[in-house]
Every structure is written in structure tokens, then in C-alpha cells.
Amino acid sequence: MNLSDSRTAGQPVSRPLARLSAAEAVFNAIREDIESGVIPVGSKLSSEATLSQEYGVSRSVIREALRSCTALGLTVTRTGKGTFVVASKVANDLTLGQYSARDLTEARPHIEVPAAGLAAERRTPEELDILRGIVAAMATEADPESWVTLDSTFHATIARASGNKVFASVVADIRDALAHQSETLNMVADRQHASDIEHQQILAAIEAGSAENARAAMAHHLEAVGVALDSILNN
């Protein structure tokens, strides 16, 4: 069934989606309607319950898709009032909770690259087992929301394994923003598989106890994330 069939706000049609990437499918459909003008700037989107019925998915899937629309600057959700279209093209920066994508891109290399190096030198056997379990779970996780949770847990665990409380505290503070970023990149830039490979490389370096390789692997991962973000913002 063609998800790009045009519709006007408030006129739902029945378009059930396959679960294999339900949130991505909903997001792509809504984004296309906004960017094409089918849902014009100033319009209020249908309620989560209505969209859930329209697309044949759960409300959690709808919320996931709407968060990405908001992150791209296409919509704004006002508590008690609903979600409104505020732009017909992607913003110059992404809003990720209380931080922006630019904030994260600038800060993360100064925090997570040295943290990965220290983790390679200081990680305990228990922390290493946790990291192995996370990476193994991510490689087989089919649910996008669960994968995002594992992703943020992976980065937080590395920060804790560094033995540096400042790094651990900072990464814990930005954890929600990291989750929003991963969620959006997976939908818009199809980053999940590439991230799995990059995480495996980071783990291998930490496992081998190579601080140099761990720093390099984390730097490569964060650079790839930055490139993906640029591709969204400059699209």
C-alpha cells in the first residue's frame, strides 16, 4: 500500500503498516505530507489515537515518529493542545530534548573519546561483560525503541567504565538527548546497522585493552554520526 497517498489533516484513511519499521514508515509518510504541502504549515496534526488507528500501529510508534518530526523542526507539540506543523523543510539544527544536535556534535568527542581510552585501561571484567551483552543484543534487536535504549546504555556504560566520574556524569546527563538523536538518525539516515559495526569495533578495542584503538574507534563512530547529521540538515 502506498504510504505517500495524499490526505488532508483530519481526514484519516486506513493504511495499516508492517511492523518491520513502523515508526519509520509513519515518520516518512507524515514528513512527505508536510514537505509537499498536503499538511500545510499551521495545521494541527490528528491526535495520537486517531493517527494510531489510521496507520494501524500503537500509540508508542506514533509518538516515536512525531518525536523525529519535532527533532527535524517540522512540528511542535504543545502540552494539552496537540502537535502543530511549524515548517515545511528541515531546520538548520535538530532539537534533541534540552540540547541540540550541534551541542552534542561539538561536545561528545571531548568527552566520549578520552572516556573510551580510559575504559580500555580501567574496565572491570563485569563492565566488559555488560558491554559484550549490550553489543550482542543490539545486533539482533528488531524493535527500534529497544535498540535506541541499548545504544544510550552502551555509551553510558563506557563512560562509567572509564572510572572518571565527570565523564560518567556528563554522559548520564545527555543520555536522553543521545537517545533522541539515535532514534532520529535511524529513521532518517538508516544508521542502525552502521552503528552496530562501529560499536563492535569500539568493544573490540576496549576488550583488547588498547586505549589508542578505543579512542580511534570512538572518534570514527562520532565522526560518522556527525556526517549523518550533516546529511539531514543539508538535505
Side-chain angles (χ1 to χ4, degrees):
M1 186 169 291
N2 187 354
L3 292 176
S4 64
D5 289 342
S6 63
R7 73 182 190 281
T8 56
Q11 291 182 318
V13 293
S14 178
R15 295 186 295 183
L17 304 177
R19 177 53 193 161
L20 79 115
S21 186
E24 182 178 2
V26 173
F27 163 72
N28 286 336
I30 295 174
R31 180 183 180 183
E32 183 174 338
D33 282 351
I34 291 173
E35 292 182 334
S36 67
V38 171
I39 305 178
V41 173
S43 297
K44 178 182 176 181
L45 296 183
S46 300
S47 68
E48 286 183 5
T50 299
L51 291 172
S52 177
Q53 289 183 335
E54 176 183 345
Y55 289 104
V57 296
S58 68
R59 292 180 67 169
S60 65
V61 168
I62 296 299
R63 283 193 291 271
E64 191 177 345
L66 292 180
R67 280 197 299 268
S68 289
C69 287
T70 297
L72 291 181
L74 298 173
T75 62
V76 168
T77 298
R78 301 185 178 114
T79 303
K81 295 183 178 180
T83 300
F84 297 83
V85 178
V86 295
S88 60
K89 62 180 181 179
V90 175
N92 292 327
D93 199 2
L94 303 187
T95 301
L96 304 163
Q98 61 181 318
Y99 302 104
S100 72
R102 186 172 291 111
D103 290 339
L104 295 180
T105 300
E106 291 174 351
R108 291 183 71 184
H110 300 287
I111 301 162
E112 295 193 70
V113 170
L118 290 174
E121 297 173 336
R122 299 174 178 174
R123 84 292 188 277
T124 65
E126 292 77 17
E127 288 166 337
L128 188 56
D129 283 343
I130 291 171
L131 288 171
R132 287 171 178 153
I134 293 169
V135 170
M138 292 180 81
T140 59
E141 183 54 67
D143 179 70
E145 190 172 354
S146 297
W147 188 94
V148 164
T149 299
L150 289 167
D151 180 42
S152 59
T153 302
F154 176 77
H155 287 275
T157 302
I158 289 175
R160 288 198 304 273
S162 74
N164 184 301
K165 292 183 179 179
V166 174
F167 288 154
S169 178
V170 171
V171 174
D173 183 63
I174 65 174
R175 185 166 175 168
D176 286 346
L178 295 182
H180 285 311
Q181 179 173 275
S182 291
E183 182 178 68
T184 302
L185 286 178
N186 288 348
M187 284 194 195
V188 184
D190 195 21
R191 275 284 304 161
Q192 183 168 325
H193 179 64
S195 288
D196 282 340
I197 294 173
E198 291 155 14
H199 289 159
Q200 290 164 8
Q201 293 169 342
I202 295 168
L203 171 62
I206 292 174
E207 194 171 28
S210 173
E212 181 179 0
N213 288 346
R215 288 192 295 267
M218 182 63 80
H220 170 70
H221 174 53
L222 297 181
E223 182 179 358
V225 168
V227 169
L229 284 168
D230 285 342
S231 73
I232 295 172
L233 300 176
N234 297 323
N235 188 6

